[in-house]
Amino acid sequence: MNPGGLARDDELLDRTTTERAGDRVVRPFQLFAQRQASGGLVLLVCAIVALAWANSPWAWAYEQMLGVSLGISLGEQMLHLDLRHWINDGLMALFFFGVGLEIKREFLVGELAERRKAMLPIVAAIGGMVVPALIYAAFNFNGAGARGWGIPMATDIAFALGALAVLGSRIPEGLKVFLVALAIVDDLGALLVIAIVYTASIEWLGVAVIAVLLLALGVANRIGARRGSIYLLLGLGLWVGFFMSGLHATLAGVLAALFVPARVTIAPGVLPQVIHRGADDLEAQALDNEPDAMDPDRVAIIGAIDGSLDAATAPLQRFEHIVQPWVTYGILPAFGLFNAGVAIDATVLRTLPTAVPMGIMIGLVLGKSIGIGLASWLAVKSGLAALPEGSTWRQLIGTAFLGGIGFTMALFISGLAFAGTHFEREAQLAILIGSLLAAVVGIAILLMSKATQASGPEARG
């Protein structure tokens, strides 16, 4: 044995532990941003496939696929939905569960945890929700399409980060964090709009089921239940309750996520000692006996170490790590495939200059950029907040245009607002055009801001 070597190992372990503690905010964001950006590419491919398919000679097959009926039978109770509604009302609940986990994490340990840092994305998000809604309402005041005012409000995190990823390391990390925080607050606002505005009627038996299950989730959180199966079963019951109530079933995902514990049951400083003791026990056991992978004592020691690692990880982090890949590479691409297939013909093209499409396109392209930019300027000038570190006003305006990429949430709300009407197809096409224009303008401004920086520093105001 080498005591000097052990001392160096202890020093290395302490330094590694400290570095990991310092990275608890940055590392999750970097992994999240990388995954969302690459997921945005998959989502884009699926949206293009859907658009091409819906306008091909095989469009009939696309329509047939959307209408495939699937059902679940529980005794005499039957639940039948077509494939598109299973995705939009069922699988998207898991997407909203992921959104809920992101919201909770951001407010606990992320960019929204510190008041001064949180103020800029919060104020900017509010401006970016209010101005597009007002623009849409101005175009559709008292009109048949007035119900769609929530469509241009939210930002698509995956596509927006994907657009920033095109620019790579030339964009400050602080600006990317700002965009993620802004989009998360946007999502929270959109969820409130869905809950309050896009609920046709309420069945009180379903509300009673929701209340009981929320109480059960609260108890599970309070007693520190950490098993995923508990929250999965209660979350599924909550989804059924929402479906029964008439409230949109996907809201169950967000509420279930907010009850997932963010606590650890073993202090981070104690973990290295536990691992050291486990390693010593394994070493001692190996000296006494020939190493055997199936030895009960060895299995027990490894199980104790594994239990300690689990106790040192918050369930919220663990669930987010499990859920996000499924959402990013499975559910959102499926949503894009089943919702972006707009049949473009002369009839729908003629509607583009009308109130609903114009309200959506101008709301996404100008409303989001003006709302985010103006609210950010007021927050900074009033001393309430500061610009993201290393960024300029030109870059922030470019990022504000990227906030106008509203694809996923905008399509989702348009389905709630205009399902079964001719406005739905018009809104879908307007969302695609508006989101594309916002992305092109935002990337162009950010590229020009880089060129400006190359020739000289830009005033930050």
Side-chain angles (χ1 to χ4, degrees), residues 136 139-140 348-364 418 422-423 425-431 433-434:
Y136 182 93
F139 274 94
N140 291 274
V348 72
L349 288 174
R350 278 197 297 268
T351 67
L352 284 178
T354 60
V356 167
M358 289 299 289
I360 292 171
M361 289 186 291
I362 294 177
L364 287 174
F418 297 137
H422 66 89
F423 288 127
R425 193 158 65 113
E426 298 170 15
Q428 289 171 331
L429 182 58
I431 290 164
I433 294 172

Side-chain angles (χ1 to χ4, degrees), residues 310-435:
D310 181 76
T313 307
L316 184 144
Q317 272 184 311
R318 193 167 66 249
F319 293 178
E320 192 173 8
H321 180 73
I322 293 169
V323 167
Q324 281 301 337
W326 287 97
V327 170
T328 304
Y329 300 114
I331 293 171
L332 284 182
F335 176 84
L337 183 63
F338 279 77
N339 288 272
V342 186
I344 302 173
D345 53 30
T347 303
V348 72
L349 288 174
R350 278 197 297 268
T351 67
L352 284 178
T354 60
V356 167
M358 289 299 289
I360 292 171
M361 289 186 291
I362 294 177
L364 287 174
V365 179
L366 294 181
K368 293 293 286 186
S369 57
I370 292 170
I372 293 170
L374 181 59
S376 298
W377 185 83
L378 289 172
V380 172
K381 290 303 179 182
S382 65
L384 193 64
L387 274 177
E389 187 177 351
S391 63
T392 66
W393 277 112
R394 187 189 291 267
Q395 288 175 327
L396 189 133
I397 294 301
T399 306
F401 272 97
L402 295 185
I405 305 173
F407 187 81
T408 303
M409 196 66 84
L411 285 175
F412 189 82
I413 294 176
S414 73
L416 298 179
F418 297 137
T421 71
H422 66 89
F423 288 127
E424 186 174 12
R425 193 158 65 113
E426 298 170 15
Q428 289 171 331
L429 182 58
I431 290 164
L432 297 178
I433 294 172
S435 296

Side-chain angles (χ1 to χ4, degrees), residues 104-279:
K104 185 168 183 176
R105 171 173 52 78
E106 281 295 315
F107 275 101
L108 289 176
V109 298
E111 189 72 2
L112 301 175
E114 296 181 40
R115 190 190 69 84
R116 183 166 171 80
K117 284 186 177 181
M119 287 313 297
L120 186 64
I122 289 175
V123 172
I126 292 170
M129 288 185 282
V130 171
V131 175
L134 290 175
I135 288 175
Y136 182 93
F139 274 94
N140 291 274
F141 185 70
N142 281 339
R147 183 172 164 76
W149 60 267
I151 295 171
M153 287 179 60
T155 297
D156 190 298
I157 301 178
F159 272 144
L161 282 174
L164 277 184
V166 171
L167 301 162
S169 60
R170 292 173 293 180
I171 298 301
E173 195 75 6
L175 209 59
K176 298 175 184 177
V177 175
F178 164 76
L179 182 60
V180 170
L182 180 147
I184 286 172
V185 177
D186 257 359
D187 282 347
L188 185 56
L191 289 166
L192 291 173
V193 169
I194 290 169
I196 297 168
V197 178
Y198 297 108
T199 297
S201 61
I202 295 178
E203 293 292 333
W204 292 105
L205 176 60
V207 174
V209 172
I210 291 170
V212 170
L213 288 166
L214 287 177
L215 179 62
L217 281 164
V219 170
N221 177 284
R222 190 69 179 171
I223 64 175
R226 298 170 62 84
R227 286 187 176 276
S229 55
I230 294 172
Y231 295 94
L232 175 64
L233 290 172
L234 290 174
L236 284 172
L238 195 62
W239 183 88
V240 172
F242 268 91
F243 201 90
M244 291 168 57
S245 72
L247 294 163
H248 204 274
T250 50
L251 296 172
V254 181
L255 288 177
L258 297 181
F259 286 96
V260 173
R263 302 181 298 274
V264 296
T265 55
I266 181 171
V270 176
L271 182 62
Q273 300 169 23
V274 174
I275 294 174
H276 264 305
R277 280 200 300 269

